[in-house]
Amino acid sequence: ARPFFSRASLQVCAGAFGAHALKKRLSADELAVWRTAAEYNLTHALGLIAAGLAPREASLGGKALLAGQVIF
């Protein structure tokens, strides 16, 4: 589950970057898209952490979450 904690940390940083560094450079609509993407990625990261802590029988769910993260 350790790599997924790093993933979650990266998403928190991406959200903060969007909120502070991009605030003056993007329109309100573009910032909304950035925020939505950061929230979705953070949600996926938290799901991957949960899947990593789950029994091996739940590995299909983790693989599906990982595939969704890569596709997104």
Side-chain angles (χ1 to χ4, degrees), residues 47-65:
L48 287 170
I49 290 168
L53 299 173
R56 287 195 176 251
E57 294 81 27
S59 67
L60 179 60
K63 290 176 184 174
L65 278 169

Side-chain angles (χ1 to χ4, degrees), residues 11-48:
Q11 294 313 315
V12 170
C13 291
F17 177 73
H20 299 287
L22 297 179
K23 191 173 188 175
K24 295 179 182 179
R25 297 179 184 193
L26 298 179
S27 69
D29 289 338
E30 292 169 327
L31 280 174
V33 170
W34 182 272
R35 179 183 173 146
T36 301
E39 287 175 358
Y40 285 175
N41 280 314
L42 180 58
T43 303
H44 270 95
L46 295 175
L48 287 170

